[in-house]
Amino acid sequence: MKKLLVILLLPLTLLSQKQERVSTVYAEINTGVAFIDELPFPGMSGLIGTTLNIEGFLIDLEAGLALPTIWTAKMGIGLETGQNQITLGLRPYPSHFYVQHAFTGKKYGSFHVSLEFGLEEAGFGDSFESIGMITFGWRFTLTDWKSK
């Protein structure tokens, strides 16, 4: 897990100080369905997170409360094109790899959908017996600022 975190954060060290950076802090609510033994099981979460956007390259980190797992977190990297953000990353618990598409440009936040794949069967962590998830959420922008 430590190696993965280093790989996800390594791009930060490669970026020039002259590039424009936009940092956004947000609150997020999600609902979705996990597939446990191929049966759908509902879930929900409330998270606080931050996205660093460096000229279209994204680093996204978030954590919060979830049902039924009590807590959850996500970390990912991605790209922004126009009013779309595509992010790939890992959820440490329950352990999943995810692909997320966010529709940005809304006045009060952004809508997103993610497809997630459980990692427990591959021997990586505890996916709470989930073989996969589909989630839908809304991010409420709390604050953002630009720097160069």
Side-chain angles (χ1 to χ4, degrees):
M1 188 62 77
K2 289 180 184 178
K3 289 180 183 178
L4 182 59
L5 185 59
V6 170
I7 290 169
L8 287 172
L9 296 177
L10 181 63
L12 280 177
T13 62
L14 303 176
L15 299 169
S16 167
Q17 295 292 330
K18 296 180 183 179
Q19 294 174 320
E20 180 178 277
R21 300 171 187 212
V22 178
S23 184
T24 302
V25 176
Y26 57 84
E28 180 177 295
I29 57 172
N30 296 288
T31 188
V33 176
F35 296 94
I36 299 173
D37 292 327
E38 299 177 13
L39 297 173
F41 191 86
M44 57 192 286
S45 64
L47 308 163
I48 298 290
T50 185
T51 299
L52 179 61
N53 184 335
I54 306 165
E55 294 187 359
F57 177 79
L58 306 171
I59 300 170
D60 189 43
L61 304 168
E62 59 186 313
L65 301 175
L67 290 174
T69 60
I70 312 293
W71 72 276
T72 191
K74 287 169 64 175
M75 55 187 148
I77 58 174
L79 296 172
E80 179 178 59
T81 58
Q83 294 185 345
N84 295 288
Q85 293 178 343
I86 304 293
T87 308
L88 303 174
L90 285 178
R91 180 187 295 269
Y93 184 75
S95 299
H96 284 75
F97 169 78
Y98 71 90
V99 177
Q100 179 171 286
H101 183 186
F103 304 92
T104 62
K106 309 293 185 230
K107 185 173 182 179
Y108 298 106
S110 63
F111 171 78
H112 63 270
V113 61
S114 72
L115 297 175
E116 307 193 18
F117 308 94
L119 298 175
E120 187 173 356
E121 289 187 24
F124 297 104
D126 180 5
S127 66
F128 211 68
E129 298 185 27
S130 166
I131 58 174
M133 294 193 286
I134 300 172
T135 69
F136 304 91
W138 186 266
R139 286 187 177 176
F140 301 90
T141 301
L142 299 176
T143 185
D144 56 18
W145 61 90
K146 293 182 181 183
S147 66
K148 287 189 178 188

